[in-house]
Amino acid sequence: MELRTATNNPDQTKELAASLSRLVKSGDLVVLTGDMGAGKTCFTQGLAKGLGIEGRVTSPTFTLANTYDGRLVLNHLDVYRLDDPSETLDLDLPEMLETGVTVIEWGEQIDAVLPADRLEIEIRWPENGEDDKRVIKLTAIGETWLQRSGDLARATGEWATKC
Ligand code: ADP
Ligand code: MG
């Protein structure tokens, strides 16, 4: 199941993410795809806010993984710097995934060690794009996400009509 929407500025990307925070559950995996500067960290900041996380959410490019406590635990990873998926072994991903919602920037790079069930979110600049506009594609994969595809469409639609 695939949904497409667009945002006009960073705040809208955060609002979209916050509206999705209402339907994420502990154990969920969210894979964020998109070039450097697309807005993956920005999206995660909105999701964190929606989960009631008050501290500053910064890019885990160097720390690899940050964990925050909110309504749910949020694990925020950026695997851009990993040369090989086996380097994630130290992170014990299977255990981490059980602790809360796990968001992985550049997650497609470690597909081999990730469960198939996930919400994939691709953020990109539009073809003839203004600088602050982004096209956002959401793909629900696997049973638990497909069960929520109606909620996902509603949350995205409600968000879009508010803008
Ligand atoms: P990434 O994590 O994908 O490398 P960041 O979230 O760190 O990207 O940075 C995105 C940058 O793009 C920020 O400086 C943000 O202010 C800017 N930006 C401009 N328009 C948007 C938008 N519509 N959505 C998200 N970020 C945007
Ligand atoms: Mg980032």
Side-chain angles (χ1 to χ4, degrees):
M1 207 271 310
E2 207 176 282
L3 290 163
R4 218 174 269 264
T5 187
T7 63
N8 295 313
N9 54 55
D11 281 345
Q12 286 191 352
T13 296
K14 287 180 191 164
E15 281 165 27
L16 169 67
S19 66
L20 297 180
S21 72
R22 285 184 273 124
L23 51 104
V24 293
K25 300 192 292 207
S26 189
D28 279 346
L29 170 64
V30 178
V31 171
L32 291 176
T33 330
D35 286 339
M36 193 84 74
K40 301 181 293 299
T41 299
C42 177
F43 182 94
T44 311
Q45 288 164 342
L47 189 71
K49 193 165 179 211
L51 290 172
I53 291 158
E54 283 171 10
R56 210 167 109 79
V57 171
T58 53
S59 175
T61 308
F62 298 98
T63 51
L64 205 57
N66 291 331
T67 294
Y68 305 91
D69 280 315
R71 185 162 56 73
L72 299 169
V73 166
L74 173 67
N75 301 307
H76 181 202
L77 281 72
D78 182 329
V79 297
Y80 181 68
R81 281 166 185 277
L82 290 189
D83 296 320
D84 191 283
S86 68
E87 288 176 43
T88 59
L89 289 176
D90 293 344
L91 291 171
D92 199 355
L93 276 170
E95 198 197 27
M96 186 185 284
L97 284 162
E98 282 178 19
T99 62
V101 181
T102 302
V103 174
I104 310 186
E105 298 189 31
W106 302 98
E108 75 281 8
Q109 296 196 161
I110 58 162
D111 249 354
V113 296
L114 292 178
D117 281 35
R118 85 267 303 266
L119 179 65
E120 266 179 19
I121 299 177
E122 183 197 290
I123 309 176
R124 60 175 175 78
W125 283 263
E127 304 290 316
N128 52 354
E130 304 104 87
D131 281 355
D132 285 355
K133 195 156 182 181
R134 299 290 188 274
V135 174
I136 301 181
K137 189 174 88 180
L138 304 104
T139 312
I141 302 166
E143 201 179 328
T144 73
W145 278 107
L146 286 173
Q147 279 166 359
R148 280 175 279 173
S149 50
D151 295 337
L152 202 57
R154 258 187 303 280
T156 315
E158 276 168 25
W159 169 83
T161 49
K162 269 190 282 173
C163 292

